[in-house]
Amino acid sequence: MFQHDLFTVSMSNCEQFQITIKNDTVAGQQVQERIVKILEDLGYPPRDVFSVRLALEEALVNAIKHGNGMDPTKSVQIECSISQDLARIEIEDEGEGFEPEEVPDPTDPANLERPCGRGLMLMRSFMSLIEFNDSGNRVTLEKKREQASENGDGDASEDESS
Amino acid sequence: MATGGQRRIDIEDVGDVTVARFIDKKILDETNIQIIGNQLFGLVDEDGRKKIVLDFTNVEYLSSAALGKLITMDKKVKGAKGKLRLCSIRPDIYEVFAITKLNKLFDIRDDQEKALEGF
């Protein structure tokens, strides 16, 4: 029952899918690879791909380890929507959630040598947006495509298609 | 608890300095990180090495869990009155160190040659 897409939409310049995976980091890696492949196929710059992969790794490990407490009977739900300009990924675990504000600042000198607590900070730094739902068991990650330094002479995508 | 599993770091002795080069491009997966951590810790705990350079030439991705292992490694080396240096970290990865301010905790050098200077 796991690993099957609940839906998949695939158009020339937009990919969407929703999937429920078992609570296992290997399954998480597979989704990560799938999303990275979509970004690469859509021509996202390597720097964006790096950022999304890093944030995904952190978010999935958080969901599997901390949210679901490595419980093999639990699952993680992932919703992904990637267009030419924006990658949006939502990850939800079955845990009780947490208060992001209560995570200690890992750059505080008192915490600098503690070997954990950096994932959240990396997600914030590398993504355009990171948001949690009220209960803290669902994270939304967004990465806007980095614009090339020169204003591309291609299509000026001014139109909003929402 | 020997290293177990496949070797994840290449070891080279340069004088009395141990250069440990990561083999993996991605230091992400939990199991992988555990193995790498154990192999690194073995350099200090089992082999008694005290001057260690970690070479990141091959590393393209690194997660916060891997940073945790590096912090523990740094503590172990310092605890053994040794010295640990990191080198050849590509800019994307360096940013991970800079954001988390670990660039202040670790002694990071541009390349292996510079890491070996005055060690």
Side-chain angles (χ1 to χ4, degrees):
Chain A
M1 68 184 215
F2 290 118
Q3 308 279 87
H4 290 290
D5 284 15
L6 296 179
F7 74 84
T8 310
V9 178
S10 188
M11 289 181 283
S12 61
N13 54 4
C14 179
E15 288 270 349
Q16 285 183 12
F17 68 85
Q18 186 179 341
I19 189 170
T20 302
I21 60 165
K22 57 184 178 179
N23 198 47
D24 165 333
T25 52
V26 175
Q29 289 280 327
Q30 287 165 355
V31 177
Q32 206 184 101
E33 292 302 333
R34 179 174 174 181
I35 292 172
V36 163
K37 171 87 167 52
I38 296 172
L39 292 169
E40 286 173 347
D41 288 348
L42 286 172
Y44 271 75
R47 157 110 194 135
D48 287 349
V49 178
F50 176 90
S51 302
V52 174
R53 189 197 281 274
L54 188 73
L56 269 178
E57 169 68 21
E58 301 294 344
L60 286 165
V61 167
N62 278 352
I64 293 165
K65 248 175 103 173
H66 304 303
N68 285 343
M70 296 302 282
D71 182 342
T73 65
K74 290 186 172 167
S75 58
V76 177
Q77 193 177 314
I78 298 144
E79 264 185 73
C80 174
S81 166
I82 304 176
S83 69
Q84 288 287 349
D85 309 312
L86 181 76
R88 180 185 166 91
I89 301 131
E90 292 180 54
I91 297 170
E92 182 171 337
D93 60 57
E94 296 184 72
E96 291 175 4
F98 75 114
E99 293 282 344
E101 301 77 33
E102 287 178 12
V103 175
D105 176 3
T107 62
D108 186 311
N111 299 330
L112 202 56
E113 292 192 33
R114 284 172 59 171
C116 51
R118 297 185 169 78
L120 200 56
M121 170 165 240
L122 290 175
M123 285 191 269
R124 285 208 175 100
S125 303
F126 281 96
M127 298 303 277
S128 315
L129 176 128
I130 159 172
E131 257 176 18
F132 288 89
N133 63 351
D134 287 344
S135 51
N137 69 330
R138 181 182 183 91
V139 64
T140 302
L141 300 166
E142 281 188 9
K143 182 72 185 172
K144 287 184 190 143
R145 186 193 188 110
E146 196 175 283
Q147 298 303 314
S149 48
E150 47 189 1
N151 288 337
D153 45 13
D155 49 61
S157 48
E158 299 272 332
D159 57 324
E160 274 189 56
S161 49
S162 57
Chain B
M1 52 167 225
T3 51
Q6 210 184 326
R7 195 143 197 95
R8 302 293 183 157
I9 41 178
D10 271 334
I11 306 294
E12 187 192 352
D13 290 312
V14 182
D16 61 346
V17 181
T18 299
V19 178
R21 183 191 289 243
F22 294 102
I23 294 170
D24 297 270
K25 283 185 175 182
K26 298 175 197 150
I27 309 185
L28 292 177
D29 174 66
E30 190 74 8
T31 318
N32 209 351
I33 289 172
Q34 202 64 34
I35 296 170
I36 291 173
N38 288 341
Q39 291 183 355
L40 286 179
F41 302 160
L43 297 175
V44 187
D45 296 341
E46 290 161 29
D47 305 348
R49 297 170 194 257
K50 292 193 172 172
K51 293 181 178 181
I52 299 170
V53 172
L54 299 182
D55 186 322
F56 284 74
T57 301
N58 296 326
V59 181
E60 294 175 5
Y61 284 98
L62 185 88
S63 72
S64 66
L67 294 177
K69 293 292 178 196
L70 294 175
I71 293 166
T72 306
M73 179 66 179
D74 192 60
K75 281 187 188 168
K76 277 187 188 289
V77 176
K78 282 176 181 159
K81 304 227 179 327
K83 271 203 270 183
L84 179 74
R85 286 178 180 171
L86 279 50
C87 74
S88 308
I89 298 178
R90 60 188 70 204
D92 280 342
I93 304 281
Y94 187 81
E95 206 178 328
V96 170
F97 284 89
I99 287 166
T100 52
K101 300 207 176 149
L102 290 175
N103 54 339
K104 294 180 181 169
L105 179 74
F106 294 114
D107 183 351
I108 300 178
R109 308 293 169 111
D110 288 349
D111 51 39
Q112 203 185 109
E113 196 184 334
K114 291 201 172 108
L116 290 168
E117 267 171 28
F119 210 151

